[in-house]
Amino acid sequence: DTEVTQTPKHLVMGMTNKKSLKCEQHMGHRAMYWYKQKAKKPPELMFVYSYEKLSINESVPSRFSPECPNSSLLNLHLHALQPEDSALYLCASSQSYGTGDREQYFGPGTRLTVT
Amino acid sequence: AQTVTQSQPEMSVQEAETVTLSCTYDTSESNYYLFWYKQPPSRQMILVIRQEAYKQQNATENRFSVNFQKAAKSFSLKISDSQLGDTAMYFCAFMKAGGSNTGKLIFGQGTTLQVKP
């Protein structure tokens, strides 16, 4: 099973709302990633968790707050977002991070619209 | 720093024909991995093919094959017998095999491929 699931599929939120995106994998992977993708652009890395610890934060604004409650689950908490944060948010996982030979498996994404 | 360049923003091909997508990269690393990912419209990004830099043999996966030219830093994707389901955005990506930032994917800007009936 090479599946990464993400919920919700679509999310519309106002600039004052608080919402969360959820990602789950049951492949036993120990690395999980959040990416942001604008239309017709490549994904941009936001965060990397390795063994449930935050390994990389690509200078993401604090209105995005990641959380890794366990090795299978990754959340992205959203607060006070701006319209320019509207994008497709992709979650990915790999067996590990930092060994270079670990393919990343992507989820279907959450399409976020900030109004 | 590594960079990945896909010089063809859009391409089209007739069904059943062959098409080649170009990718060049720049790195001073000697050991790394290269990938082609496919992202169909409104669908999940999936890995098409991967190549280890230390392997001279070009990777193949069914109708998909690569032409890996390490000295030229070129990594093109050939799709044979194109099918309508191959319509997608294709991303070339680079990953270091050791040292700092190992595991981080560096993507090209993507090539949108349309397969016409």
Side-chain angles (χ1 to χ4, degrees):
Chain A
D1 183 8
T2 57
E3 190 176 54
V4 177
T5 59
Q6 290 187 243
T7 53
K9 287 186 178 178
H10 302 275
L11 179 62
V12 179
M13 61 185 289
M15 290 190 284
T16 58
N17 291 158
K18 286 185 181 180
K19 296 286 184 183
S20 296
L21 310 184
K22 179 181 172 181
C23 173
E24 204 160 358
Q25 57 88 13
H26 295 287
M27 296 178 277
H29 290 175
R30 303 313 300 265
M32 297 186 77
Y33 310 75
W34 280 116
Y35 288 87
K36 174 183 177 180
Q37 187 181 26
K38 290 282 199 178
K40 296 194 177 296
K41 295 292 186 183
E44 301 171 26
L45 183 65
M46 300 174 71
F47 304 103
V48 179
Y49 272 84
S50 178
Y51 289 87
E52 300 156 49
K53 288 187 174 10
L54 184 64
S55 291
I56 290 183
N57 176 344
E58 292 284 279
S59 303
V60 178
S62 59
R63 57 185 183 268
F64 296 90
S65 175
E67 178 196 19
C68 189
N70 59 57
S71 60
S72 300
L73 193 56
L74 185 67
N75 298 320
L76 186 63
H77 302 298
L78 314 173
H79 173 55
L81 294 192
Q82 303 298 310
E84 60 264 28
D85 296 323
S86 298
L88 182 68
Y89 287 84
L90 296 170
C91 174
S93 72
S94 64
Q95 270 194 304
S96 60
Y97 182 78
T99 54
D101 62 346
R102 302 308 181 189
E103 298 157 12
Q104 292 182 24
Y105 296 88
F106 285 83
T110 293
R111 181 137 335 256
L112 174 67
T113 303
V114 181
T115 61
Chain B
Q2 291 78 31
T3 58
V4 178
T5 302
Q6 294 177 248
S7 58
Q8 306 149 313
E10 295 181 352
M11 296 188 71
S12 64
V13 64
Q14 291 295 131
E15 199 175 4
E17 293 188 347
T18 295
V19 64
T20 298
L21 279 58
S22 301
C23 173
T24 58
Y25 58 94
D26 189 23
T27 184
S28 58
E29 301 288 329
S30 59
N31 201 12
Y32 49 87
Y33 299 87
L34 295 164
F35 306 89
W36 278 99
Y37 279 90
K38 167 186 176 182
Q39 189 175 34
S42 300
R43 290 183 63 190
Q44 203 153 337
M45 185 175 298
I46 59 172
L47 179 66
V48 175
I49 201 166
R50 61 175 266 168
Q51 174 81 41
E52 292 86 348
Y54 63 85
K55 288 186 178 179
Q56 291 187 330
Q57 187 171 6
N58 289 324
T60 61
E61 283 289 339
N62 301 314
R63 298 183 295 106
F64 298 87
S65 62
V66 297
N67 184 3
F68 174 48
Q69 302 287 328
K70 191 172 184 179
K73 297 180 182 173
S74 170
F75 182 61
S76 60
L77 175 70
K78 185 171 85 171
I79 306 174
S80 304
D81 185 25
S82 297
Q83 300 175 0
L84 296 178
D86 296 332
T87 292
M89 193 155 193
Y90 288 81
F91 292 101
C92 178
F94 171 100
M95 182 189 288
K96 286 173 59 177
S100 64
N101 285 327
T102 298
K104 184 175 178 180
L105 278 171
I106 309 296
F107 287 96
Q109 289 301 303
T111 295
T112 299
L113 175 68
Q114 184 176 14
V115 180
K116 298 179 178 178

